[in-house]
Amino acid sequence: MSEKNTSDLLMDEHLLETSVSREALDKLRIGDIVRLNGVIFTGRIGLYKKLFDEEAEPPVDIAALTNVTFHCSPAVGEKAPGEWEVSAVTATASFRFEKHLPLLMERHGVRCVIGKGGMSPEFYRDHFKRLGGVFLNTVGYGIGAQYGRGVQRVEAVHWLKELGIAQAMWVLRVKNFGPFLVECDTEGNSLYEMAMKETNENLKGLYADLPLPTLKRMGEVHNPEDEVF
Amino acid sequence: MPTATGAFIGADLIREVAFELNRRAAIHIPGDVRQSVRGMAERETERLSKFVLLEIVNNYEVADEDLRPMCADTGLPRFYAKVGNEARLEGGFVAFERSIREATARATTEIPLRPNRVHPITRYDYNNNVGIHAPSVDYSWEPGADWVEMTAFHKGGLFGGDYRMLFPGDGIDGIRRFYLDVISEFFKRGLSCQPAIVGIGIGGTKDTCVKLAKEAACLRVVGDRNPDPQIADLEDELVELGKRSTLGAMGFKGEGAVMDAHIEVAYTHTGGMPVSIHHQCFALRRSTARIHLDGEVEYREDPRWFTDYYRRDSVS
């Protein structure tokens, strides 16, 4: 990677078809802007617990369906029995899924993860680089109306009764679905790792004259350059 | 209890207005927030931050055009009620709260909102955003008024709030440091979904300062200043400190992402200075209505929650 600062990023735009091919994934660089056509599925802790902690049989052959997942639960309404309409979609914070995400990638062929906040640089090197996956950050993070507009229809919903609307596995047909920012490419580079080096410079200076509080707290991070997870 | 006129604000009207407030809050972001984010987008010179801010502005417009919620995390619906001292409610406050619960359940299905409210342990979801202590209703009172004002707020957020027991010796520097700590914690990786309005509650007790911080972030419009000039100066200073953090939208380098800083204070224990900080994201979903005794309803964007009476001091 030649870029060292976020101001050097190319921010190239891509429109990709799902499942996204290895070749297309390899072309993505951190800071690029991605939109998707095809099929994606949603998943968060409820789905992961069921799949990997309870080892329930998947309700559908995920690998045959798509290699793109989205850490979210959509805002949906049931227009008629079994007929769902998605109004808006936004991501939920992804770093909470470190335990289960490698399993989803290894066992079910997921290679494109859409989420919020990204994962740690170590996690990218251990799993995304190894398996050739990319992490796409939603923008904002609350631009749910734009993402909702990109959802053409609900293809299926699985484990609705068991997990509820918010945690169920939604299979969505999408068109021009985006924009997303490439946060981790198949080389394991992290946009946030690059960005935080730039902002940490400033933070350090702001803290210079401010004493530590009188009362400490157990388990607390004191170095402003550190992250909280 | 018989009243002078025999007039009441009807429970059906409350239910209808509560539904409409939920609908407006979910879709139409108040003008002060839009203008603030648009201004940030125009001024920003860093490419990544500018890209993100422009997409946020664009998203406000898509939500308006399509009449769809601007964020899929439609938050936890909650209500603030300012009740005139002379107002009379049909069926009293029990009926008032029942109307709010019914309206919230209906809004969840019809707008739709995401059914976010679950039991904290079993995770059971009624799929209607109604449950134990949900939606919450906070009250304040207004002397000499016969109306009821309701504000619906769809409060997102697992991140962007913190509490700390500081002491008089920690002083204003202690508040500055804590303010930076919360930015360091939650602006990185954009966990606060900034640009944010930062509410700071100083003093009172633990629960009072947490409540005030949230109300300061959620119920005061961008540009509003605390009437105490010393506190207003600190608000200005904290806005500037937020800029100097250079943590912009999504945590990318930029002009910072503090739309405004709002401070509220409460008298506190002589030995302590509890402080709470609350980040309200750019998906600020809020709508207010005043319901008069004659049934007239006025909708507006500014809740005007912090009245002189609400901030009253000592015995007067």
Side-chain angles (χ1 to χ4, degrees), chain B residues 2 31 92 97 106 112 154 166 211-212 222 242 260 267 292 302 315:
Chain B
E97 294 197 341
R106 184 182 146 218
H154 296 171
L166 294 173
K211 176 179 150 75
L212 283 176
V222 176
D260 209 348
Y267 272 55
H292 293 273
D302 181 353
V315 183

Side-chain angles (χ1 to χ4, degrees), chain A residues 31-65:
Chain A
D32 282 359
I33 297 155
V34 172
R35 290 173 185 270
L36 294 165
N37 286 341
V39 172
I40 65 162
F41 74 95
T42 72
R44 53 194 299 173
I45 196 65
L47 178 71
Y48 298 157
K49 278 189 167 172
K50 203 143 177 63
L51 280 177
F52 304 119
D53 296 349
E54 296 171 27
E55 298 193 328
E57 190 65 26
V60 60
D61 181 354
I62 295 172
L65 188 71

Side-chain angles (χ1 to χ4, degrees), chain A residues 9 73 87-90 117 119 138 141-146 149 192 202 207 210-211 214-215 217 224 227, chain B residues 47 55 58-59 65-66 68-70 72-73 114 163-164 170 173 177 180-181 184 188-189 193 246 250 282:
Chain A
L9 295 170
S73 34
S87 54
V89 193
T90 25
M119 322 285 287
T138 48
Y141 287 95
I143 59 166
Q146 287 205 63
R149 197 183 251 190
Y192 269 133
N202 301 288
Y207 272 90
L210 299 174
T214 310
L215 188 68
R217 292 191 288 203
E227 293 191 66
Chain B
R47 281 169 72 220
E55 290 297 340
N58 186 23
N59 188 67
E65 284 166 21
D66 294 5
R68 55 173 89 233
M70 54 81 59
D73 183 347
R114 199 168 75 184
Y163 160 82
R164 181 148 210 153
D170 289 315
D173 268 354
R177 186 175 181 110
L180 278 178
D181 281 343
S184 299
K188 284 184 181 174
R189 293 177 185 265
C193 292
T246 70
M250 288 181 79
F282 66 81

